[in-house]
Amino acid sequence: MNIVLLGAPGAGKGTQAEKLVDKYALCHISTGDILRQAVKDQTPLGIEAKGYMDSGNLVPDELIIGLMKERMQQPDTEKGVMLDGFPRTTAQAVALDAMLSDLGRPLNAALLVDVPFEVIIGRLTSRRQCRACGKIGSVADAACPNCGGEMYQRDDDNEETVRNRLDVYANQTAPLIDYYKGQDKLVTVDGNRTPDVVFEDVVAKLGIA
Ligand code: ADP
Ligand code: ZN
């Protein structure tokens, strides 16, 4: 099974991705996590990407598409992928279709986690992430609920950058909803509920997708 996750930043894509990957033993690919690791390691990719990320803009398509072409050729993707944060533009979606068709693999569904914008702003500015294991939590978590590691606020989760990321989402990524509707692959779940309830719905809907 190969799935694309769609939704605004903060819609809960990462949380649902984790649960899906556990249940269906998929390979989880988060372009945001790959980029943040590259920034931390100060690789050429990271150095180039950092400015875009800190301002809430998208990293150029060529960079991301090149990165994903390589990533999709790793053997661990054969068991099926859960793509989280890619594609984010129509050009990326077209490139993904070409990659999958070259590999002879189908795209089973594009899963949209739908959450109103007002809810998103509150969620993102209170969001925290574990430095050690990447677990997503909130400002209420003194330490990581998973491993006890230090929780920190991402550089791009301040209010100004959050607003820009939402604009970028509305302008560049939201059109993918129609793109996948046109391919008859869109599956929508209401993401404004607790993660477990959202997940039940996801499983039920993917079962018939
Ligand atoms: P969120 O979904 O919470 O905004 P991500 O962790 O998916 O965050 O991405 C963080 C940042 O990394 C984005 O704001 C963007 O700058 C960059 N990025 C991640 N994936 C892509 C992509 N597919 N295309 C372009 N830029 C990307
Ligand atoms: Zn942790």
Side-chain angles (χ1 to χ4, degrees):
M1 183 157 65
N2 299 293
I3 300 175
V4 161
L5 265 178
L6 289 178
K13 295 190 298 290
T15 307
Q16 295 304 318
E18 258 175 47
K19 291 175 180 287
L20 278 166
V21 162
D22 280 351
K23 186 172 170 87
Y24 297 107
L26 302 172
C27 173
H28 182 190
I29 302 178
S30 158
T31 43
D33 285 348
I34 294 174
L35 292 170
R36 276 185 290 280
Q37 186 64 44
V39 169
K40 199 168 155 196
D41 296 342
Q42 301 194 322
T43 66
L45 169 72
I47 290 165
E48 179 152 12
K50 183 167 172 40
Y52 297 104
M53 294 172 73
D54 285 351
S55 57
N57 292 315
L58 295 183
V59 171
D61 281 337
E62 312 82 72
L63 267 186
I64 293 287
I65 290 170
L67 173 103
M68 283 303 295
K69 263 190 193 149
E70 259 178 50
R71 184 65 188 86
M72 287 298 291
Q73 278 165 25
Q74 305 296 313
D76 63 341
T77 62
E78 279 166 25
K79 60 189 177 190
V81 290
M82 166 89 268
L83 300 180
D84 172 6
F86 177 89
R88 248 188 169 81
T89 63
T90 303
Q92 292 179 18
V94 170
L96 174 63
D97 282 344
M99 284 176 221
L100 287 170
S101 124
D102 284 349
L103 291 163
R105 299 180 202 159
L107 179 68
N108 300 83
L111 179 66
L112 171 65
V113 184
D114 202 18
V115 178
F117 271 26
E118 315 81 74
V119 177
I120 295 276
I121 302 220
R123 279 194 190 179
L124 286 177
T125 49
S126 64
R127 176 162 81 171
R128 300 294 182 270
Q129 187 167 14
C130 174
R131 241 187 239 292
C133 74
K135 169 102 187 146
I136 306 287
S138 85
V139 66
D141 299 312
C144 172
N146 208 16
C147 76
E150 183 203 346
M151 302 297 281
Y152 78 107
Q153 182 173 37
R154 275 170 40 177
D155 291 343
D156 58 354
D157 276 351
N158 63 76
E159 185 156 350
E160 195 191 326
T161 306
V162 163
R163 288 194 183 274
N164 189 39
R165 283 159 65 205
L166 289 176
D167 280 348
V168 168
Y169 173 77
N171 293 327
Q172 306 200 55
T173 308
L176 295 183
I177 295 171
D178 280 338
Y179 181 89
Y180 287 114
K181 218 183 260 172
Q183 293 190 355
D184 224 12
K185 301 245 163 100
L186 189 73
V187 174
T188 304
V189 294
D190 171 5
N192 196 14
R193 299 174 295 171
T194 63
D196 287 340
V197 174
V198 175
F199 188 60
E200 274 175 33
D201 202 9
V202 165
V203 170
K205 288 192 168 142
L206 281 182
I208 54 154

